[in-house]
PDB file of all heavy atoms in Angstrom:
ATOM      1  N   PHE B 604       5.717 -21.805   0.297  1.00  0.00           N
ATOM      2  CA  PHE B 604       6.593 -21.904  -0.864  1.00  0.00           C
ATOM      3  C   PHE B 604       7.162 -23.301  -1.003  1.00  0.00           C
ATOM      4  O   PHE B 604       7.171 -23.889  -2.073  1.00  0.00           O
ATOM      5  CB  PHE B 604       7.739 -20.899  -0.765  1.00  0.00           C
ATOM      6  CG  PHE B 604       8.659 -20.969  -1.927  1.00  0.00           C
ATOM      7  CD1 PHE B 604       8.350 -20.357  -3.103  1.00  0.00           C
ATOM      8  CD2 PHE B 604       9.841 -21.716  -1.866  1.00  0.00           C
ATOM      9  CE1 PHE B 604       9.189 -20.462  -4.221  1.00  0.00           C
ATOM     10  CE2 PHE B 604      10.683 -21.809  -2.970  1.00  0.00           C
ATOM     11  CZ  PHE B 604      10.347 -21.182  -4.130  1.00  0.00           C
ATOM     12  N   GLY B 605       7.592 -23.863   0.118  1.00  0.00           N
ATOM     13  CA  GLY B 605       8.228 -25.166   0.096  1.00  0.00           C
ATOM     14  C   GLY B 605       7.270 -26.263  -0.383  1.00  0.00           C
ATOM     15  O   GLY B 605       7.615 -27.095  -1.205  1.00  0.00           O
ATOM     16  N   LEU B 606       6.047 -26.221   0.132  1.00  0.00           N
ATOM     17  CA  LEU B 606       5.097 -27.287  -0.176  1.00  0.00           C
ATOM     18  C   LEU B 606       4.458 -27.100  -1.544  1.00  0.00           C
ATOM     19  O   LEU B 606       4.340 -28.018  -2.334  1.00  0.00           O
ATOM     20  CB  LEU B 606       4.016 -27.351   0.919  1.00  0.00           C
ATOM     21  CG  LEU B 606       2.965 -28.448   0.717  1.00  0.00           C
ATOM     22  CD1 LEU B 606       3.606 -29.808   0.743  1.00  0.00           C
ATOM     23  CD2 LEU B 606       1.883 -28.344   1.751  1.00  0.00           C
ATOM     24  N   GLU B 607       4.005 -25.866  -1.811  1.00  0.00           N
ATOM     25  CA  GLU B 607       3.172 -25.670  -2.972  1.00  0.00           C
ATOM     26  C   GLU B 607       3.904 -24.937  -4.112  1.00  0.00           C
ATOM     27  O   GLU B 607       3.346 -24.716  -5.168  1.00  0.00           O
ATOM     28  CB  GLU B 607       1.905 -24.883  -2.578  1.00  0.00           C
ATOM     29  CG  GLU B 607       1.247 -25.546  -1.376  1.00  0.00           C
ATOM     30  CD  GLU B 607       0.051 -24.756  -0.861  1.00  0.00           C
ATOM     31  OE1 GLU B 607      -0.739 -24.270  -1.682  1.00  0.00           O
ATOM     32  OE2 GLU B 607      -0.090 -24.632   0.378  1.00  0.00           O
ATOM     33  N   GLY B 608       5.136 -24.499  -3.845  1.00  0.00           N
ATOM     34  CA  GLY B 608       5.879 -23.778  -4.876  1.00  0.00           C
ATOM     35  C   GLY B 608       5.284 -22.411  -5.172  1.00  0.00           C
ATOM     36  O   GLY B 608       5.484 -21.861  -6.252  1.00  0.00           O
ATOM     37  N   ILE B 609       4.524 -21.884  -4.227  1.00  0.00           N
ATOM     38  CA  ILE B 609       3.837 -20.614  -4.447  1.00  0.00           C
ATOM     39  C   ILE B 609       4.618 -19.478  -3.761  1.00  0.00           C
ATOM     40  O   ILE B 609       4.908 -19.561  -2.590  1.00  0.00           O
ATOM     41  CB  ILE B 609       2.421 -20.642  -3.878  1.00  0.00           C
ATOM     42  CG1 ILE B 609       1.540 -21.559  -4.713  1.00  0.00           C
ATOM     43  CG2 ILE B 609       1.817 -19.236  -3.792  1.00  0.00           C
ATOM     44  CD1 ILE B 609       0.156 -21.748  -4.137  1.00  0.00           C
ATOM     45  N   VAL B 610       4.942 -18.438  -4.548  1.00  0.00           N
ATOM     46  CA  VAL B 610       5.479 -17.229  -3.944  1.00  0.00           C
ATOM     47  C   VAL B 610       4.289 -16.346  -3.645  1.00  0.00           C
ATOM     48  O   VAL B 610       3.679 -15.775  -4.556  1.00  0.00           O
ATOM     49  CB  VAL B 610       6.442 -16.499  -4.890  1.00  0.00           C
ATOM     50  CG1 VAL B 610       6.930 -15.199  -4.265  1.00  0.00           C
ATOM     51  CG2 VAL B 610       7.631 -17.385  -5.199  1.00  0.00           C
ATOM     52  N   ASN B 611       3.897 -16.281  -2.403  1.00  0.00           N
ATOM     53  CA  ASN B 611       2.653 -15.593  -2.050  1.00  0.00           C
ATOM     54  C   ASN B 611       2.911 -14.111  -1.805  1.00  0.00           C
ATOM     55  O   ASN B 611       3.282 -13.698  -0.717  1.00  0.00           O
ATOM     56  CB  ASN B 611       2.027 -16.245  -0.818  1.00  0.00           C
ATOM     57  CG  ASN B 611       0.741 -15.585  -0.446  1.00  0.00           C
ATOM     58  OD1 ASN B 611       0.189 -14.791  -1.221  1.00  0.00           O
ATOM     59  ND2 ASN B 611       0.250 -15.884   0.750  1.00  0.00           N
ATOM     60  N   PHE B 612       2.681 -13.297  -2.845  1.00  0.00           N
ATOM     61  CA  PHE B 612       2.913 -11.866  -2.697  1.00  0.00           C
ATOM     62  C   PHE B 612       1.889 -11.209  -1.797  1.00  0.00           C
ATOM     63  O   PHE B 612       2.062 -10.034  -1.414  1.00  0.00           O
ATOM     64  CB  PHE B 612       2.873 -11.199  -4.075  1.00  0.00           C
ATOM     65  CG  PHE B 612       4.127 -11.363  -4.846  1.00  0.00           C
ATOM     66  CD1 PHE B 612       4.307 -12.453  -5.689  1.00  0.00           C
ATOM     67  CD2 PHE B 612       5.171 -10.478  -4.729  1.00  0.00           C
ATOM     68  CE1 PHE B 612       5.478 -12.625  -6.396  1.00  0.00           C
ATOM     69  CE2 PHE B 612       6.356 -10.650  -5.418  1.00  0.00           C
ATOM     70  CZ  PHE B 612       6.509 -11.721  -6.264  1.00  0.00           C
ATOM     71  N   ALA B 613       0.815 -11.916  -1.437  1.00  0.00           N
ATOM     72  CA  ALA B 613      -0.183 -11.322  -0.552  1.00  0.00           C
ATOM     73  C   ALA B 613       0.167 -11.592   0.904  1.00  0.00           C
ATOM     74  O   ALA B 613      -0.558 -11.174   1.796  1.00  0.00           O
ATOM     75  CB  ALA B 613      -1.554 -11.868  -0.883  1.00  0.00           C
ATOM     76  N   HIS B 614       1.283 -12.295   1.161  1.00  0.00           N
ATOM     77  CA  HIS B 614       1.550 -12.706   2.533  1.00  0.00           C
ATOM     78  C   HIS B 614       1.779 -11.527   3.475  1.00  0.00           C
ATOM     79  O   HIS B 614       1.287 -11.515   4.588  1.00  0.00           O
ATOM     80  CB  HIS B 614       2.764 -13.649   2.548  1.00  0.00           C
ATOM     81  CG  HIS B 614       2.764 -14.594   3.707  1.00  0.00           C
ATOM     82  ND1 HIS B 614       1.901 -15.653   3.778  1.00  0.00           N
ATOM     83  CD2 HIS B 614       3.488 -14.616   4.847  1.00  0.00           C
ATOM     84  CE1 HIS B 614       2.087 -16.286   4.926  1.00  0.00           C
ATOM     85  NE2 HIS B 614       3.057 -15.686   5.597  1.00  0.00           N
ATOM     86  N   GLY B 615       2.493 -10.536   2.991  1.00  0.00           N
ATOM     87  CA  GLY B 615       2.735  -9.333   3.792  1.00  0.00           C
ATOM     88  C   GLY B 615       1.425  -8.613   4.082  1.00  0.00           C
ATOM     89  O   GLY B 615       1.215  -8.055   5.164  1.00  0.00           O
ATOM     90  N   SER B 616       0.533  -8.613   3.093  1.00  0.00           N
ATOM     91  CA  SER B 616      -0.739  -7.946   3.276  1.00  0.00           C
ATOM     92  C   SER B 616      -1.575  -8.621   4.360  1.00  0.00           C
ATOM     93  O   SER B 616      -2.325  -7.969   5.079  1.00  0.00           O
ATOM     94  CB  SER B 616      -1.527  -7.949   1.967  1.00  0.00           C
ATOM     95  OG  SER B 616      -0.763  -7.420   0.951  1.00  0.00           O
ATOM     96  N   LEU B 617      -1.409  -9.952   4.500  1.00  0.00           N
ATOM     97  CA  LEU B 617      -2.141 -10.673   5.544  1.00  0.00           C
ATOM     98  C   LEU B 617      -1.597 -10.272   6.907  1.00  0.00           C
ATOM     99  O   LEU B 617      -2.341 -10.144   7.887  1.00  0.00           O
ATOM    100  CB  LEU B 617      -2.051 -12.174   5.328  1.00  0.00           C
ATOM    101  CG  LEU B 617      -2.673 -12.692   4.023  1.00  0.00           C
ATOM    102  CD1 LEU B 617      -2.501 -14.191   3.897  1.00  0.00           C
ATOM    103  CD2 LEU B 617      -4.141 -12.323   3.963  1.00  0.00           C
ATOM    104  N   PHE B 618      -0.285 -10.084   6.984  1.00  0.00           N
ATOM    105  CA  PHE B 618       0.333  -9.580   8.226  1.00  0.00           C
ATOM    106  C   PHE B 618      -0.272  -8.224   8.601  1.00  0.00           C
ATOM    107  O   PHE B 618      -0.729  -8.005   9.715  1.00  0.00           O
ATOM    108  CB  PHE B 618       1.847  -9.449   7.975  1.00  0.00           C
ATOM    109  CG  PHE B 618       2.675  -8.988   9.141  1.00  0.00           C
ATOM    110  CD1 PHE B 618       3.236  -9.905  10.026  1.00  0.00           C
ATOM    111  CD2 PHE B 618       2.912  -7.625   9.368  1.00  0.00           C
ATOM    112  CE1 PHE B 618       4.025  -9.475  11.088  1.00  0.00           C
ATOM    113  CE2 PHE B 618       3.698  -7.205  10.424  1.00  0.00           C
ATOM    114  CZ  PHE B 618       4.242  -8.152  11.288  1.00  0.00           C
TER     115      PHE B 618
END
Side-chain angles (χ1 to χ4, degrees):
Chain B
F604 179 81
L606 180 63
E607 310 176 42
I609 289 175
V610 177
N611 181 12
F612 281 90
H614 207 72
S616 306
L617 297 179
F618 182 91

